[in-house]
Amino acid sequence: MAERGRPRNFDRAQALDRALMAFWQSGFAATSMNDLVEAMGINSPSVYAAFGSKEALFAEAVQHYHTTYADELPAALKSAPDAAAGIEAMLEAAVELFTRPDRPHGCFVVNSVASNAPNGIEIEQTLKDLRQGRSKQIAERLTEDVRGGRLRDDTPVQELSDLYAAILQGLAQGARDGLAKERLLTIPRHSRALISPWMSDKNSR
């Protein structure tokens, strides 16, 4: 017999993924505990025993999204031969992530704005850090190309990073609004034009 207070046997990772999908679809405020119980396929006492609270479950879902789904974006950015190609690949990966037919559309982190997330300083800061993290990752890749001579020394790294991060958020909102994947994919194709004025001669050919 199982010990009193312990959750029933279930796949915790699978339950967390299902909770993420519920939050991703409707947001924190609109997703009730009943919704989560139904989505996760476990009873309410087991949810509380395994995750602590709705707020704690949401916080864990945020990290799960970041490491399981959104990790494709920085991987695409870093694996390309140069920043221009990396940014284009990252934007394309974002469109793929935001428009998958088997998942809610848009970006879970972008969708989780302050008005639709738990009223806790820690989780709000986590969401803010993740949103701002994209700009930092892009800036690091641009800086790498400046140091490698693929971009000129006067490249406005921070301005370009913020601009590309804003485009990422725009793609997320467009997907959330139901814009077709084919339409969204036209945007990454123009991303190189934003950086081309600062490409070195040997890297712009």
Side-chain angles (χ1 to χ4, degrees):
M1 177 180 292
E3 296 178 20
R4 180 174 296 179
R6 292 187 62 184
R8 294 180 179 177
N9 292 330
F10 62 91
D11 188 320
R12 193 179 190 281
Q14 186 180 73
L16 177 60
D17 195 71
R18 290 173 176 173
L20 166 63
M21 295 302 157
F23 284 131
W24 194 347
Q25 180 64 48
S26 303
F28 176 82
T31 305
S32 68
M33 280 303 300
N34 287 337
D35 294 330
L36 291 168
V37 166
E38 182 177 353
M40 298 167 76
I42 57 179
N43 59 36
S44 182
S46 293
V47 174
Y48 284 111
F51 299 98
S53 66
K54 179 183 173 184
E55 290 78 8
L57 175 57
F58 181 85
E60 195 165 338
V62 169
Q63 293 301 331
H64 179 61
Y65 172 83
H66 180 61
T67 58
T68 305
Y69 294 96
D71 62 332
E72 299 170 0
L73 276 63
L77 176 66
K78 295 175 183 178
S79 61
D82 56 65
I87 290 168
E88 182 175 356
M90 177 191 65
L91 295 176
E92 289 176 345
V95 173
E96 293 289 340
L97 172 63
F98 300 158
T99 60
R100 282 279 299 268
D102 58 337
R103 301 173 190 160
H105 285 181
C107 171
F108 174 58
V109 172
V110 172
N111 292 349
S112 299
V113 294
S115 61
N116 200 24
N119 293 321
I121 295 176
E122 184 175 349
I123 187 60
E124 288 184 4
Q125 187 61 47
T126 297
L127 290 168
K128 179 180 177 181
D129 290 345
L130 290 176
R131 287 192 291 265
Q132 294 180 344
R134 290 288 175 243
S135 180
K136 293 178 182 178
Q137 291 168 349
I138 296 168
E140 290 171 358
R141 186 65 219 260
L142 291 172
T143 299
E144 179 183 329
D145 274 31
V146 171
R147 291 173 178 167
R150 293 180 291 274
L151 291 174
R152 296 189 341 222
D153 290 341
D154 62 342
T155 301
V157 169
Q158 191 60 65
E159 290 89 341
L160 285 171
S161 301
D162 290 341
L163 178 56
Y164 284 122
I167 291 173
L168 266 174
Q169 292 196 24
L171 290 172
Q173 188 58 55
R176 181 76 174 178
D177 289 343
L179 296 185
K181 175 182 175 180
E182 291 73 18
R183 178 176 173 181
L184 292 173
L185 280 174
T186 64
I187 295 173
R189 297 169 194 159
H190 297 288
S191 62
R192 188 179 294 265
L194 299 175
I195 196 176
S196 61
W198 293 277
M199 288 182 180
S200 64
D201 291 340
K202 64 180 181 180
N203 203 48
S204 60
R205 296 170 185 170

